[in-house]
Amino acid sequence: MRIWSSAKGKSVMTLKLPYLKKRGSAVDPGVRERLWLHVHWPKGRPTQLVSSCFGGELVMWDLTRTGKQRWTLFGTSSEGQNHNRIVFNMSSVRLQDDRELLISTSMDREIKCWDLASLDCCWTLPTLGGFVYALTFSPVGAGCLALGVGDSMIRVWNTLTTQNQYDTRCFWQGIKSKVTALAWHPTKEGSLSFGTDDGKVGIFEVFSNRPPQISSSYHRKTVYTLAWGPAVPPMSFGAAGGKPALSLYSCAGEGVILQHDPSKLSGEASDIDKLIRDTNDIKHKLSPHTDFSWKPDGKVVAIGNEDGCIEVYEAPGLKLLCSIQQHHKIINTLRWHHDHDSPPELHCLLASGSSNATVYVHDLRSIIENPPESPVVLTEPYRRLCGHTAKITGMAWSPHHEARLVTVSYDGTAQVWDVLQEAAVSNYRGHLGYLLCVDWSPDDPDVIWTGGKDFTLQEWKVSKQEFTKPPKGKKMVDLREKMKTNPKQKRKNKKAPGAGGAAPPETNGEPVAGGEKVATGQELSGEDEEDEVSSTNSPLPPSVSVTFEMQRKPVTAIKSKDKPDLNLLKKKKPRSMLPLSTSMDHRPKEDLLQDCITLASVRHSSAPPAGCVPGQGDHIHLGLFSDRQALYRMFEAEEEAHVEAGHHDSVVYLRLWSGDLEGALQLATEKGELSDHLLSIAPMAGFEVWRRTVEAFVKQLCLQEQYLKAASHLLSINQLYEAVDLLRSHKLHREAIALVKARLPADEPVLKELYTCWAATLEKDGHFSAAAKCFLAAGASFDAAKVIARKNDVPSLRTAAGLARISGEAALAQSLALRCAKDLAAAQDWIGAQEVLSSQESLLVHRLHLCVAALMTAMLADSEAAAQPRASGHHVSIQDQVRDAWEKQFGVSPDSAGHRSAGALLQELKSAESPTPTANIPLRQVQLYSSLHLTRAVLSWLLGDDGQLIKELWQAVAWLRDAGHFGVSAELCRLLFPDNDVSVCSRKHSKVLHHTEEEPEAAAKSLQAFVDYHHLYEHWWSNSIQIQSRSPPPAADSGPGDEVEGKAANGDATEESVSPETQSRDKLDFDASVLLSEQHAACQATQRSVSEIQQRLAAMVLKHSRAQGGQLDSGEKEADAPTQISAEPSESQGSGDAGQRPEEQETLLSLSTKMSEHQKRLVDLPDTIKMYPHPDVVECCLVLLHLSKSSQSSPSVSESLQQKAKDLLRKYGTDASVFKASQQFLT
């Protein structure tokens, strides 16, 4: 045992149990395995601990003591105080007088009370853990009572002790089941024989500690009765030579009485039936024995049988003297009257009790004193004792009275009788439930002991009982009334099979406890029916009824119609194969008896009776008992009956039995009732019959949808291809393929067909991976890769690409890898995308593209995270980083050759087209398209193609701008040109661009203009932050021309005082003249005019179409008012023709003329102007003038630049809002 500190969570002390050797017994090595250790810490005793030990001892531990002996044993002052089995539980209590008591319970079924001060046992209370099956007083030891109990223990109680009221000893060694029978030796003190539920017979010497002697001859069922009697042959042979005069007899549930030699139980016991047969020359079968009783003088023995008959035999040869045929049911108990202190005429009284409720007493004096030459049959009793309402289970004659008998019954009462007067003396009703055993006290004439199913043994006085007779059961009263109104009930019950309680109750599949004495096929008489009912005046408590133990002598209550037997409902009787002949056996008894006469005449007469043909007509059932021809005639008649009833399976079996195998199979085939059994015997009729039967059975199985079984049967007749077709036609492709691969060569064409067919089915159902496996098995790798790619998610595309590459489908592998990489790149999983492409050497250029996209995305994200604009000239450009990454990771440089050369890579990349930019494309996708142009630009740089380089750079920036991501476009410009000079492509690699052609030069100017445009705004915003302008900067993603004009018009805010630090930063650090391109200003003004005219024309067409449709009513005129206004020049729409609005609405013709003029002007402009646009020139003029006005102390814009801006404003700033904003600079 360990003692733990709950605060520290660790063990502080370990106590080792003492191994106490019991006095007079060897140490059992197996006792350690059955240890149940209980610990109790008494309240108020922190240093003392009580624990149980190995064999039921209790130990007090002193936790303050040191050394090995820390314990003190309880109950050492006298012998036998401790429990003798393991202790289950303990509890302590403090009394009012300050005494402390400990209560303990044990496996020995005893409750003990201990004084904690002296450690002695104050008292012991024995308890019972099962039904009391047997009780008997020792004829030698006065007041020594033995109990056989259902808890597999025997108790021996000294009832006359004065010191301890419950002076009991328990015996359990060698007993493994319920103790159902006991018998003391008539002369040898302390010798107690016992019988158990599992058929064991043994002898205890109760005054020693030795284990019992067990007989080597076991009964197969429960032992009912034990008795000591004189030895009979063969054991009586040689008795004079020192053999004991008495033998031990046992009777058990299988109906056998065995004679055991008590001096040699290891020897084989003898069955007394052999002696009975030999002595009385009996050839027929003896009825099973259920009880027996030796007359006290040992001269005769009475044996009760299962059929209710009692036979009296004379010792030692066991000659049959008489047969008592009074009871009709199983005999449960027999008792001879004692022969001490009683008149001789009473010595031969034999009392008997059965499953009838009536007790019979027979006087056998004349037969015993004058044995007849042949056995006598007695049918009338000497006395009849009526009153019990259920079967009799036990009885005992009073040793103190003459002809005084006590009986116990299933009605729950014990009844004392005056036999000679046939009078009821006293009735005891103290038990709950039925009684099982009884004995009269040997020392007190007024005391009787009874035991029963309520787990109690009770002692009671005859003179103190309130009742004289047993209670009348309600069921008996109802039955008597029913018998009066329906006298036919008696005959009906006679016919009912099993109504007499023929079946023994069983528990867990074994015979019941106590071993039911079983009747087989008894018929009920009216008297029997009365005896069947049990009393209702003995209610069972819930605890008792829940722990119900089945008893011997069954309760066979009559079953009512409204309460059917559940066991019968569950087990349905199978249909008879020979119903006609069976039904003939259910006729009246007279007819059945006549059948016996008829059959005897047929068997023993040369000429049968007239009109009697066994197996036909009224004598069909006799075909079973006559010759084969008669049997065949009976079969024919039975077949006709089965066909009429539709029981064709029975006809098949009859034909089989008669040898017509082919006919049986033919019939089963026609009726669709072939079975595995019939098929298994079909080969006996020949191969052709078997083959036809198999094919018929296959069709039958297909109708029942048992396709696998059907295919297996086809294999048995070597029809492999048919089996495969059957499986395939029912979509069992997996099984069909397994069959083909197991049986046919690998190159079998049907295998490829199966794989292809299954793949199509799987693909249709969406099981793409399984379909791919089928295609692979069929050798169609291309289809396998395509079907996997149908899922179109990244794992599927990656798998499909790998599959195609392994299978040698290079083009498909590249296509799928590229699709997968694009999906991963869209999700910005750059590493995953590179891994997918790395397996394909030919996709190097796409890996370069993804490298550029990853760098560009990362650098844009970093620059957005930094709130302040970058200072110029301190950063490596993105194209430098790209070039370094290519050389390091992919080995691509100006010097690389072969498939890594810049020319070959650029040629591959030209095939990757990008769509037209729109505002609906997500930013991630836009960045991918932009990075594509950046990739081409870097490759052009490696080739030394400056013109292509600048055009691709322009495209990279324009993609972001045209898709509406203005701020991202500005950030990319800063990353491309940290010095704000587009001619400087790389400082690291000293690359300066020189353009000789018109288009690259126009692209360079456009790109420079946008770089300066973004720089101009940076300058303006940083200046506005310093002077705390009221106007916030426009959103990063908004267009440049919408809000800036209005903000530039608010020049009033620039009159604030400016600090010297600000003045030093007001100077523009770039050449802004590129922003003031007059050609682009003219082009932009013309484009604005065209857009305005298109809007006005559209409004006029809409208005005209509505007027034509007759839809202009008063309500719609109001709704169309905005449309009419929009057709006129508004304040927000500028005109390229004049600075003021026309007074009246223009006509369609005049607008069309103007449109033609503007379009002609646009056509006349150079293509490079339209292909490579500049930022809004008018807007740039307003911003520059605003900057010059806000820094008058030190102008940031030169006079010439200001003048050029004003000139351009006057010429092209004709729009109403621009005109208004420009007035403060032009006046």
Side-chain angles (χ1 to χ4, degrees):
M1 297 178 297
R2 290 185 186 276
I3 297 173
W4 299 78
S5 166
S6 58
K8 298 177 182 177
K10 64 180 182 180
S11 170
V12 295
M13 188 182 296
T14 302
L15 306 174
K16 213 164 189 182
L17 282 181
Y19 200 51
L20 303 165
K21 183 178 178 182
K22 282 192 181 178
R23 196 172 144 200
S25 65
V27 176
D28 182 3
V31 79
R32 284 181 181 274
E33 297 171 14
R34 297 197 57 186
L35 176 62
W36 171 272
L37 185 61
H38 186 76
V39 183
H40 176 69
W41 212 325
K43 192 174 182 180
R45 292 174 178 248
T47 63
Q48 289 184 318
L49 191 67
V50 183
S51 81
S52 61
C53 208
F54 289 99
E57 304 89 352
L58 296 183
V59 174
M60 174 74 83
W61 298 85
D62 188 345
L63 304 182
T64 60
R65 197 186 300 177
T66 57
K68 288 188 177 179
Q69 185 82 8
R70 291 185 173 186
W71 49 271
T72 307
L73 191 63
F74 277 67
T76 54
S77 62
S78 62
E79 181 71 23
Q81 290 192 42
N82 270 295
H83 292 286
N84 54 33
R85 306 288 292 275
I86 52 176
V87 174
F88 284 148
N89 209 343
M90 289 182 282
S91 179
S92 59
V93 61
R94 183 181 291 275
L95 304 181
Q96 292 179 348
D97 58 0
D98 282 343
R99 284 176 64 209
E100 267 195 280
L101 301 179
L102 180 76
I103 309 293
S104 62
T105 62
S106 163
M107 195 173 179
D108 62 9
R109 302 273 182 191
E110 288 186 342
I111 302 171
K112 288 183 180 285
C113 177
W114 307 83
D115 188 335
L116 281 179
S118 64
L119 304 186
D120 281 336
C121 181
C122 306
W123 48 261
T124 300
L125 181 64
T127 66
L128 303 180
F131 298 178
V132 183
Y133 288 109
L135 66 90
T136 175
F137 278 98
S138 170
V140 181
C144 193
L145 176 63
L147 304 178
V149 188
D151 58 7
S152 307
M153 285 197 283
I154 298 171
R155 273 76 164 182
V156 176
W157 184 3
N158 182 6
T159 59
L160 300 181
T161 183
T162 54
Q163 295 178 344
N164 179 9
Q165 187 179 3
Y166 295 106
D167 181 9
T168 62
R169 293 184 63 196
C170 292
F171 298 90
W172 52 272
Q173 296 94 334
I175 304 174
K176 301 296 183 186
S177 65
K178 301 162 188 171
V179 181
T180 53
L182 294 172
W184 290 100
H185 196 284
T187 56
K188 185 180 177 183
E189 188 174 9
S191 184
L192 176 66
S193 61
F194 66 91
T196 66
D197 183 35
D198 57 5
K200 184 187 295 182
V201 175
I203 301 174
F204 266 110
E205 298 299 331
V206 299
F207 297 118
S208 75
N209 287 324
R210 291 196 304 272
Q213 301 176 58
I214 305 295
S215 172
S216 62
S217 300
Y218 276 62
H219 286 281
R220 294 196 308 275
K221 294 187 178 179
T222 304
V223 178
Y224 291 156
T225 309
L226 289 173
W228 296 87
V232 299
M235 284 191 186
S236 59
F237 298 148
K243 277 201 171 186
L246 292 178
S247 291
L248 176 63
Y249 294 87
S250 61
C251 177
E254 70 269 27
V256 174
I257 297 176
L258 295 180
Q259 178 184 197
H260 306 266
D261 184 352
S263 64
K264 191 180 178 183
L265 284 177
S266 59
E268 187 176 351
S270 62
D271 185 346
I272 68 168
D273 275 2
K274 185 177 187 306
L275 179 62
I276 293 173
R277 283 175 178 279
D278 294 344
T279 302
N280 299 285
D281 194 22
I282 297 174
K283 305 297 183 187
H284 61 80
K285 181 186 174 185
L286 292 175
S287 178
H289 310 309
T290 56
D291 202 273
F292 70 97
S293 178
W294 280 97
K295 195 169 179 297
D297 58 10
K299 290 181 179 178
V300 295
V301 61
I303 298 178
N305 296 325
E306 196 177 80
D307 58 6
C309 172
I310 303 170
E311 293 166 335
V312 180
Y313 296 93
E314 185 180 29
L318 297 188
K319 182 190 175 187
L320 180 60
L321 298 179
C322 70
S323 177
I324 303 169
Q325 297 183 3
Q326 187 67 51
H327 297 278
H328 305 296
K329 290 190 177 180
I330 183 172
I331 301 299
N332 290 331
T333 178
L334 295 169
R335 287 293 181 274
W336 291 95
H337 196 284
H338 58 86
D339 56 3
H340 50 267
D341 297 334
S342 59
E345 59 268 18
L346 299 180
H347 293 179
C348 295
L349 291 184
L350 175 65
S352 59
S354 71
S355 288
N356 297 353
T358 306
V359 179
Y360 296 109
V361 181
H362 291 85
D363 185 358
L364 304 177
R365 185 178 180 186
S366 59
I367 294 173
I368 294 171
E369 290 179 355
N370 300 301
E373 290 184 7
S374 60
V376 178
V377 177
L378 300 181
T379 57
E380 286 299 322
Y382 173 62
R383 292 289 185 271
R384 190 190 306 259
L385 307 176
C386 301
H388 280 296
T389 57
K391 63 181 177 181
I392 310 301
T393 54
M395 56 178 59
W397 292 95
S398 168
H400 313 285
H401 305 85
E402 294 179 0
R404 183 68 59 90
L405 183 71
V406 59
T407 57
V408 291
S409 165
Y410 255 37
D411 62 12
T413 66
Q415 180 65 45
V416 180
W417 307 90
D418 184 333
V419 173
L420 299 180
Q421 301 298 322
E422 293 186 341
V425 176
S426 176
N427 182 259
Y428 177 67
R429 306 182 184 181
H431 284 273
L432 298 172
Y434 46 74
L435 275 67
L436 297 169
C437 53
V438 62
D439 205 0
W440 216 293
S441 172
D443 62 298
D444 189 339
D446 198 33
V447 172
I448 293 175
W449 300 73
T450 51
K453 69 158 284 183
D454 57 0
F455 287 48
T456 64
L457 167 72
Q458 300 189 16
E459 174 191 20
W460 49 277
K461 290 183 179 293
V462 177
S463 59
K464 301 291 186 184
Q465 300 312 308
E466 177 183 354
F467 301 100
T468 304
K469 293 184 178 181
K472 293 287 183 184
K474 182 175 184 295
K475 288 186 178 179
M476 172 183 268
V477 176
D478 294 345
L479 188 63
R480 288 185 188 278
E481 292 297 322
K482 192 173 183 182
M483 290 295 292
K484 288 177 185 175
T485 57
N486 187 10
K488 292 184 180 178
Q489 183 71 31
K490 176 178 175 182
R491 184 172 182 84
K492 188 175 180 182
N493 284 342
K494 274 191 176 185
K495 292 184 182 180
E506 293 191 358
T507 306
N508 295 333
E510 291 298 323
V512 296
E516 183 51 64
K517 298 186 180 178
V518 182
T520 54
Q522 295 297 318
E523 293 184 354
L524 285 177
S525 64
E527 181 185 346
D528 296 338
E529 290 165 358
E530 293 175 9
D531 295 344
E532 281 299 298
V533 293
S534 60
S535 168
T536 57
N537 295 347
S538 300
L540 303 183
S543 61
V544 173
S545 59
V546 168
T547 58
F548 190 85
E549 285 195 26
M550 295 299 292
Q551 289 297 297
R552 70 175 188 166
K553 290 91 176 183
V555 185
T556 50
I558 292 174
K559 297 177 178 61
S560 61
K561 290 182 181 178
D562 56 339
K563 291 183 181 178
D565 189 350
L566 294 179
N567 291 325
L568 295 178
L569 290 179
K570 289 176 186 173
K571 207 167 184 180
K572 190 177 179 182
K573 190 176 179 182
R575 187 173 70 240
S576 173
M577 287 291 293
L578 305 168
L580 291 182
S581 55
T582 304
S583 65
M584 297 297 281
D585 288 335
H586 295 158
R587 293 174 299 156
K589 186 186 287 184
E590 293 79 8
D591 296 341
L592 297 178
L593 295 174
Q594 182 59 42
D595 285 343
C596 298
I597 300 296
T598 306
L599 183 60
S601 302
V602 169
R603 299 281 298 176
H604 298 286
S605 301
S606 56
C612 173
V613 182
Q616 273 187 5
D618 293 339
H619 300 95
I620 181 174
H621 56 297
L622 297 184
L624 202 60
F625 308 100
S626 188
D627 57 9
R628 182 175 293 179
Q629 294 303 318
L631 182 72
Y632 282 174
R633 289 194 295 270
M634 186 182 82
F635 276 7
E636 288 175 10
E638 295 284 5
E639 282 185 24
E640 290 176 9
H642 281 309
V643 169
E644 286 180 16
H647 301 151
H648 302 288
D649 54 338
S650 299
V651 180
V652 170
Y653 283 111
L654 287 176
R655 289 191 182 180
L656 277 177
W657 293 353
S658 59
D660 183 13
L661 181 56
E662 189 170 349
L665 294 172
Q666 183 64 34
L667 178 66
T669 301
E670 291 170 1
K671 300 300 179 183
E673 293 185 2
L674 284 169
S675 64
D676 293 319
H677 169 241
L678 291 174
L679 203 63
S680 68
I681 59 177
M684 294 165 58
F687 179 79
E688 275 304 312
V689 175
W690 175 44
R691 185 184 58 76
R692 288 199 305 269
T693 307
V694 170
E695 289 173 352
F697 192 38
V698 165
K699 291 178 183 176
Q700 181 182 314
L701 289 172
C702 287
L703 291 174
Q704 297 166 359
E705 299 184 1
Q706 298 185 46
Y707 307 117
L708 291 174
K709 191 173 180 182
S712 301
H713 282 299
L714 283 174
L715 291 179
S716 69
I717 55 172
N718 205 28
Q719 294 188 3
L720 176 60
Y721 288 98
E722 289 82 352
V724 172
D725 286 340
L726 188 149
L727 292 172
R728 176 169 56 184
S729 62
H730 293 100
K731 292 187 168 45
L732 296 171
H733 298 97
R734 189 187 300 271
E735 292 78 6
I737 288 170
L739 180 57
V740 171
K741 287 186 77 69
R743 290 292 193 98
L744 294 176
D747 56 353
E748 181 67 33
V750 73
L751 187 58
K752 188 170 183 179
E753 291 175 23
L754 281 171
Y755 277 130
T756 309
C757 182
W758 191 21
T761 304
L762 290 168
E763 186 176 359
K764 184 179 177 183
D765 295 341
H767 304 304
F768 298 131
S769 57
K773 284 183 273 192
C774 291
F775 281 128
L776 283 171
S781 306
F782 186 89
D783 294 327
K786 290 285 284 184
V787 78
I788 288 181
R790 276 192 59 183
K791 192 79 172 174
N792 210 30
D793 56 2
V794 169
S796 299
L797 289 171
R798 181 188 283 122
T799 305
L803 192 153
R805 179 177 54 79
I806 293 168
S807 304
E809 303 286 350
L812 181 62
Q814 291 179 21
S815 167
L816 293 171
L818 206 51
R819 278 172 60 188
C820 181
K822 283 182 178 177
D823 288 349
L824 288 166
Q828 295 192 351
D829 181 2
W830 308 111
I831 296 175
Q834 290 286 356
E835 286 176 355
V836 170
L837 294 178
S838 62
S839 61
Q840 309 285 341
E841 192 69 30
S842 58
L843 297 179
L844 175 63
V845 69
H846 297 285
R847 295 185 67 193
L848 299 178
H849 170 213
L850 292 182
C851 173
V852 173
L855 272 170
M856 178 174 150
T857 303
M859 293 177 74
L860 285 173
D862 290 345
S863 61
E864 286 175 12
Q868 296 299 327
R870 300 174 181 275
S872 301
H874 291 62
H875 298 278
V876 180
S877 67
I878 186 171
Q879 54 269 36
D880 282 333
Q881 294 196 35
V882 167
R883 183 168 169 175
D884 293 344
W886 283 6
E887 288 187 19
K888 183 178 179 183
Q889 298 293 334
F890 305 104
V892 175
S893 66
D895 304 327
S896 55
H899 71 282
R900 294 182 185 275
S901 66
L905 293 171
L906 185 59
Q907 193 63 35
E908 284 183 46
L909 202 59
K910 282 183 179 177
S911 61
E913 294 295 333
S914 58
T916 306
T918 65
N920 297 326
I921 304 177
L923 177 59
R924 287 185 178 182
Q925 201 66 38
V926 172
Q927 287 177 347
L928 271 178
Y929 292 138
S930 177
S931 64
L932 181 66
H933 292 288
L934 187 53
T935 308
R936 289 176 180 167
V938 178
L939 286 171
S940 300
W941 176 20
L942 295 178
L943 279 173
D945 186 349
D946 291 358
Q948 187 64 26
L949 166 61
I950 198 67
K951 287 193 284 187
E952 293 293 351
L953 288 176
W954 185 89
Q955 286 280 5
V957 175
W959 240 106
L960 288 162
R961 184 180 69 247
D962 294 346
H965 303 289
F966 184 71
V968 183
S969 172
E971 192 58 45
L972 180 59
C973 287
R974 280 194 288 275
L975 294 173
L976 288 169
F977 311 111
D979 299 327
N980 296 324
D981 185 357
V982 298
S983 63
V984 181
C985 179
S986 168
R987 286 192 179 279
K988 184 175 181 181
H989 297 280
S990 302
K991 176 65 175 177
V992 180
L993 302 180
H994 302 284
H995 306 293
T996 56
E997 297 179 9
E998 181 184 4
E999 189 175 334
E1001 189 175 359
K1005 286 183 178 178
S1006 173
L1007 199 52
Q1008 185 66 58
F1010 276 104
V1011 169
D1012 291 347
Y1013 176 70
H1014 297 316
H1015 201 52
L1016 173 66
Y1017 268 99
E1018 272 187 25
H1019 185 84
W1020 179 26
W1021 287 336
S1022 59
N1023 192 23
S1024 300
I1025 289 167
Q1026 292 297 328
I1027 62 175
Q1028 299 178 355
S1029 170
R1030 289 194 299 270
S1031 302
D1037 284 348
S1038 65
D1042 297 335
E1043 300 179 11
V1044 177
E1045 295 170 1
K1047 295 182 174 72
N1050 296 333
D1052 303 335
T1054 61
E1055 300 298 330
E1056 305 277 341
S1057 59
V1058 182
S1059 63
E1061 293 85 352
T1062 306
Q1063 291 175 10
S1064 66
R1065 288 197 291 182
D1066 279 346
K1067 293 286 186 182
L1068 286 176
D1069 55 356
F1070 62 94
D1071 181 11
S1073 61
V1074 72
L1075 294 171
L1076 306 183
S1077 167
E1078 186 165 357
Q1079 281 183 307
H1080 284 88
C1083 179
Q1084 290 163 3
T1086 307
Q1087 287 170 339
R1088 279 197 295 271
S1089 298
V1090 169
S1091 176
E1092 179 191 346
I1093 292 170
Q1094 284 175 339
Q1095 290 180 9
R1096 292 167 68 182
L1097 283 170
M1100 290 177 71
V1101 169
L1102 179 65
K1103 182 177 177 182
H1104 179 72
S1105 64
R1106 288 185 176 179
Q1108 287 293 106
Q1111 298 175 0
L1112 284 175
D1113 55 19
S1114 59
E1116 289 181 352
K1117 284 178 184 176
E1118 293 176 8
D1120 291 340
T1123 308
Q1124 294 173 14
I1125 295 169
S1126 67
E1128 300 173 2
S1130 62
E1131 290 184 359
S1132 63
Q1133 294 169 341
S1135 171
D1137 300 330
Q1140 57 189 7
R1141 289 179 297 169
E1143 291 300 323
E1144 57 185 19
Q1145 187 174 342
E1146 296 189 56
T1147 63
L1148 182 63
L1149 184 60
S1150 61
L1151 287 174
S1152 301
T1153 306
K1154 283 185 179 181
M1155 172 70 83
S1156 300
E1157 292 173 2
H1158 292 315
Q1159 285 177 343
K1160 188 169 182 290
R1161 283 183 210 163
L1162 285 174
V1163 170
D1164 293 341
L1165 289 171
D1167 288 338
T1168 53
I1169 299 294
K1170 293 175 282 189
M1171 192 183 300
Y1172 300 103
H1174 278 219
D1176 195 315
V1177 177
V1178 172
E1179 177 189 337
C1180 294
C1181 293
L1182 286 171
V1183 174
L1184 284 169
L1185 291 172
H1186 174 71
L1187 285 172
S1188 63
K1189 186 175 181 181
S1190 61
S1191 54
Q1192 289 176 353
S1193 57
S1194 175
S1196 62
V1197 184
S1198 64
E1199 288 293 336
S1200 61
L1201 205 57
Q1202 289 184 41
Q1203 188 57 46
K1204 187 174 182 181
K1206 289 177 182 178
D1207 292 342
L1208 289 171
L1209 271 178
R1210 289 191 185 95
K1211 188 172 183 180
Y1212 299 107
T1214 55
D1215 189 87
S1217 57
V1218 176
F1219 182 78
K1220 181 179 177 182
S1222 60
Q1223 289 305 305
Q1224 58 180 313
F1225 306 120
L1226 302 178
T1227 54

